[in-house]
Amino acid sequence: MKKTRPADIYLRFLNLAEALRGLPALPALDPLEERILSLIAQANQKMDRLSVRDMMANDQLGSPATIHGRLKSMRSKGWIMLVDTEDARRKQIELTTEALAHFDRLSKCMLKATKG
């Protein structure tokens, strides 16, 4: 019997996750949008509030104009939604139901990859 290395599990996960890209769920994201989506998901997981202004202040993602353009694109693709806060000038970034379902599918891929 062949011994499974941890790298094999990760590579199986990548293959399964790649197969999700072909499913007609939501339009594809570019690499920067995927990074932004991960940051939004992590903030939501920690129950942290994340506003458009907060995201645009993250200089590791590029210029504020670039970030704003990506957020607009992600919103039109159905990955995120902007929710009003107590300050009408600030918008909270949240994942859509479809984006949460995407993370559910990725989680199933992880579990399947570990089972071999």
Side-chain angles (χ1 to χ4, degrees):
M1 182 197 284
K2 183 180 173 188
K3 186 175 179 182
T4 301
R5 295 180 16 216
D8 295 333
I9 294 170
Y10 181 70
L11 294 172
R12 274 197 304 272
F13 165 72
L14 289 180
N15 287 329
L16 292 166
E18 185 63 33
L20 289 179
R21 293 181 196 272
L23 298 177
L26 289 172
L29 298 173
D30 69 31
L32 179 57
E33 291 171 339
E34 286 186 16
R35 180 137 188 253
I36 291 170
L37 185 71
S38 293
L39 292 173
I40 295 167
Q42 289 170 346
N44 286 351
Q45 182 71 25
K46 293 187 239 175
M47 305 295 262
D48 288 343
R49 295 180 63 154
L50 185 64
S51 70
V52 172
R53 182 178 291 169
D54 295 334
M55 189 62 75
M56 289 174 57
N58 187 337
D59 57 354
Q60 295 177 352
L61 299 174
S63 72
T66 298
I67 297 167
H68 188 269
R70 290 306 200 288
L71 291 174
K72 187 175 178 182
S73 169
M74 293 170 71
R75 188 174 175 210
S76 70
K77 291 176 181 178
W79 288 93
I80 62 169
M81 60 185 164
L82 302 180
V83 179
D84 289 329
T85 64
E86 58 278 349
D87 181 351
R89 297 169 296 172
R90 280 184 93 106
K91 300 289 184 189
Q92 179 85 14
I93 305 171
E94 294 186 5
L95 298 174
T96 63
T97 304
E98 294 84 2
L100 290 169
H102 170 73
F103 284 110
D104 289 342
R105 287 188 295 274
L106 283 176
S107 177
K108 288 177 185 174
C109 288
M110 286 179 134
L111 293 173
K112 189 173 181 180
T114 60
K115 291 179 182 172

